[in-house]
Structure formats: structure tokens, C-alpha cells
Amino acid sequence: MDIQLFLLIIVVITAIAFDFTNGFHDTGNAMATSIASGALKPKVAVGLAAVLNLAGAFMSTAVAATIAKGLIDGHIVTLELVFAGLVGGIVWNLLTWLLGIPSSSSHALIGGVVGATIAAVGGHGVIWKGVVSHVLIPAVVAAILAIGVGAIATWLVYRVTRGLDSARTAAGFRYGQWGSASLVALAHGTGDAQKTMGIIFLALMSYGSLGKGAVAPPLWVIVACAVSMALGTYLGGWRIIRTLGKGLVEIESPQGMAAESSSAAVILLSTHFGYALSTTQVCTGSVLGSGLGKPGGEVRWGVAGRMVVAWLVTLPLAGLVGAVTYWIVHLIGGYPGAIIGFGLLAAVSTLIYIRSRKAKVDHNNVNAEWEGSLTAGLDAAEEIPPPTEVVNPADAGGPPRSGSDDPTVGAGNMS
């Protein structure tokens, strides 16, 4: 097999793996508030999100074109570079998922690709104007806009329903969350699945399967990315769902509906204009705004601060991983370089997964009370008390049981 074809296969597999991590990493964007408020059961919520992400991925390719042509010079793209960029995105996704931090999968991917590009040819290979105008400025503006829109929407909801029976209005808003959460999941599919489509698009152009004038990825790329993201979404990123639903703000149904509606509006608007917007930052901003907009609402600023720090370091740290990966693969070269690079990615991913099992978060405990950190109190809540030892009263100095002293009788009486 030709080395370039081998690299292309590795890149496509890695890109689909990234889309899979993107799916479970960002499930909370659409469904965390509905799960926290009780509007949807956890497994139902992630199933609904998976279906709508799948549908949304087929609705537009504007963002895919931005990723493929607007951020780095297409003439210097190599398959090694694309692979290294994907590794940067995957590793950052898994690390932030482990910590329960809803950081941007979009920025992780872009950071990985930009870092690999700088390692390969230097800074001149990056279209900095495109990075600033299509990534950095939209991220800042969208997060601030989402906070403002979420706060105003939440304030209006509580203002309009003031004086009404709280139990009845809460039930109504839970039904409303079915629609608003679904809209966010659909909007997420229209944006995030396309980012991976854009990466495979780049790889195909580098290999020569597509001409430089191609304007959209092939259908098989769209289908593969849509399905992998839907599968990842269905697994449920419970660690991040827990942080968004319980750690940042104590969500009630009116807040949830207001936050979800605000997020969907901002995401769909950005997708329409082809901006590679961070769905995570928009949804987190809306949740934060819902805490600010609720009369007497409380925001856990320590959790919010950790999220902001993660947002600030996503691009450079994912870029560093991408750059190191490129140097390893390129310096070793050929089949060994590609195999070692892929093997290192698999090893790191496995280690992170094993570490996550030590403090498990799933659909059974995702809504447990927040006790200061992601996993605080979860182990104690899940511990099964040891069986009570049955002591024969005669052995303890008490009166013997009537009937038989056979200990098997005592065991039988426990049932």
C-alpha cells in the first residue's frame, strides 16, 4: 500500500474518532439543563440529542468550508499535518472531559491544526486573519452575547410568570424544554459535525482525491461524520453534563428553557454565516446568564472561573500537542512514524479512560447534589453497606433461640 494512502486512511479514522469524542464531549450543551431540571430522563435526553445531531449534520456545509479553506494555507497541507492536528483536538477533548470542564471542541481542533501547521512550515502557513475573524472574535462576542441574551430571557420568563402557580408553570416549562433542548441539539449538529468534515475535506485535497476548487465534502464524509457524532452523543458525556447542569447554576425549568432557547438562536445565527463558533461557550454562557437573570439566583463563580481558564488555554495547549505530534511523526517518517503516532494516541486515550473509571459519573448519579467538585460525594452515595453479621444470641451470652441452634435456620430467617 502506498504510504500516502496509508496516511489518508489513518487520518480518516482519527477524524471520525475526533467526531466521536466531540459528540460525547458536547452532549451537555443541549441536554444538561433538561436533565438537571427533570424535564427529560438522562438516557432519553442523550438519545434525543443523538438523533437530532445526526439530522443537523446534513443541513449545511458552510462551516466545513471555513475549516477547510479559511484557517490555513491549503497548498502546504500534508496528511501528517492533518493527523497531528486531530491528535491535538482529541487529547484536549479527553482531558477536559475527564475533569468535567465544558471546553470548546472546536477550538481544540483548530488549535491542534494551527499548532501542527506552525511546526511544519512556520507561522506563515496560518491564515491569521481567518483565525481572528472566524474563530477568536466570534468566540468572544458569542459568549458575551449568550450571557446577555440568557440573562434577559430568564428575567423576562420570571417576570411574566410572577404571581402564577409555581408548580403549574414549572410543569409547563418542562414541556417547553423538550422543544428548546431539541433545537440546541439540532443546531449543534449543523455546526460541530461539519468541523470534522472540513478536516477530512483538507485531507482529501492534500491526497489529490479532490481538486482545490471543490466547494463541499463528498457525501460519504458527511454521513460518516454525522453517524460518529451521533454515536458519541448517545454515550452521554456525563461528567460535563454534571458540571453544566449542577455545578455552575442550580437549574430550574424556566431557566433551562430560557438558556436553551438563547443558545439555539446564537448557534444557528453563527452557522448561517459560516463561523466556526464554539457551541460549548455559547451554551455555557447561556446557562451562566440564566443564573444572573433569575431573581435571587446563584452562580458558582469558582466553577465558572475554571471554565474560562480552560477556554483561554485551549488553543495554545491543543496546538502544542499538535506540534509535538507532527514532529514525532515527521521525524520518524514513513509507516513507522504513522503507526507510532497513532499508537501514542491510543495509549493516551486508554490511560485517560482508565483514570475516569476511578470516579465514575453516569446517568445514575449525574443529578446528585453538587458538593464542591465534580465527583465529591459520589463514591459515598454509591457505596453498598456491608451485610450485617448475624450473631447467635447464645454465643453472645443471650438466651438461646427456640427450636434449633443450627445457624442455617438463622440465615433462613433473614430472607
Side-chain angles (χ1 to χ4, degrees):
M1 181 185 296
D2 176 72
I3 182 61
Q4 289 302 306
L5 178 58
F6 181 74
L7 281 170
L8 178 64
I9 293 171
I10 292 289
V11 165
V12 171
I13 292 172
T14 308
I16 292 173
F18 171 83
D19 222 11
F20 183 80
T21 67
N22 193 172
F24 70 73
H25 194 280
D26 289 3
T27 309
N29 295 340
M31 294 300 170
T33 54
S34 294
I35 292 171
S37 69
L40 289 168
K41 293 182 178 180
K43 296 295 286 184
V44 173
V46 297
L48 179 61
V51 171
L52 292 170
N53 268 333
L54 180 66
F58 290 92
M59 294 178 63
S60 170
T61 56
V63 173
T66 296
I67 294 291
K69 297 185 177 183
L71 302 178
I72 60 176
D73 184 353
H75 294 90
I76 55 90
V77 173
T78 65
L79 293 173
E80 290 177 339
L81 186 156
V82 176
F83 170 72
L86 286 165
V87 171
I90 291 174
V91 170
W92 186 252
N93 268 357
L94 292 176
L95 282 174
T96 49
W97 164 76
L98 175 67
L99 299 173
I101 299 175
S103 70
S104 171
S105 296
S106 310
H107 289 180
L109 177 61
I110 292 168
V113 171
V114 169
T117 301
I118 294 174
V121 299
H124 68 273
V126 181
I127 305 174
W128 293 108
K129 181 179 179 181
V131 172
V132 172
S133 62
H134 287 286
V135 180
L136 298 181
I137 292 177
V140 174
V141 171
I144 295 173
L145 182 63
I147 292 172
V149 173
I152 293 171
T154 302
W155 181 84
L156 286 173
V157 163
Y158 279 101
R159 178 75 176 179
V160 170
T161 58
R162 186 174 58 180
L164 300 178
D165 179 69
S166 58
R168 180 173 296 180
T169 55
F173 280 116
R174 286 194 186 98
Y175 288 118
Q177 280 191 272
W178 295 3
S180 58
S182 297
L183 189 57
V184 175
L186 186 67
H188 180 266
T190 65
D192 277 44
Q194 293 179 51
K195 293 158 190 172
T196 309
M197 295 178 201
I199 291 297
I200 298 178
F201 197 7
L202 266 177
L204 292 173
M205 286 192 293
S206 174
Y207 181 70
S209 297
L210 295 175
K212 301 296 182 182
V215 296
L219 179 61
W220 70 265
V221 174
I222 298 173
V223 172
C225 291
V227 171
S228 62
M229 173 167 282
L231 289 174
T233 301
Y234 183 70
L235 281 184
W238 302 112
R239 305 176 81 86
I240 294 175
I241 289 174
R242 176 162 171 75
T243 299
L244 271 178
K246 303 296 291 186
L248 187 60
V249 175
E250 287 292 339
I251 292 287
E252 295 179 351
S253 291
Q255 293 169 273
M257 182 174 171
E260 290 158 0
S261 301
S262 302
S263 299
V266 175
I267 294 167
L268 288 171
L269 186 64
S270 69
T271 300
H272 175 73
F273 288 106
Y275 291 118
L277 192 65
S278 166
T279 307
T280 300
Q281 291 179 358
V282 172
C283 293
T284 304
S286 296
V287 172
L288 181 59
S290 74
L292 296 173
K294 178 190 175 184
E298 179 184 355
V299 176
R300 296 187 178 97
W301 291 107
V303 177
R306 289 194 292 273
M307 291 181 187
V308 172
V309 170
W311 294 352
L312 292 175
V313 301
T314 293
L315 282 168
L317 291 186
L320 179 61
V321 175
V324 171
T325 303
Y326 177 82
W327 285 326
I328 291 172
V329 173
H330 183 70
L331 289 175
I332 296 174
Y335 292 101
I339 293 171
I340 289 173
F342 191 79
L344 288 173
L345 172 61
V348 170
S349 302
T350 301
L351 288 173
I352 292 174
Y353 175 77
I354 291 171
R355 179 66 183 82
S356 74
R357 298 298 88 188
K358 293 182 178 179
K360 187 176 180 181
V361 181
D362 59 20
H363 64 282
N364 294 311
N365 59 14
V366 69
N367 264 349
E369 289 302 314
W370 187 268
E371 297 185 12
S373 67
L374 177 68
T375 59
L378 296 186
D379 291 339
E382 292 179 354
E383 285 181 359
I384 301 174
T388 304
E389 182 179 358
V390 180
V391 179
N392 189 328
D395 296 336
R401 284 190 292 263
S402 60
S404 173
D405 287 336
D406 187 347
T408 58
V409 176
N413 287 341
M414 292 179 59
S415 61

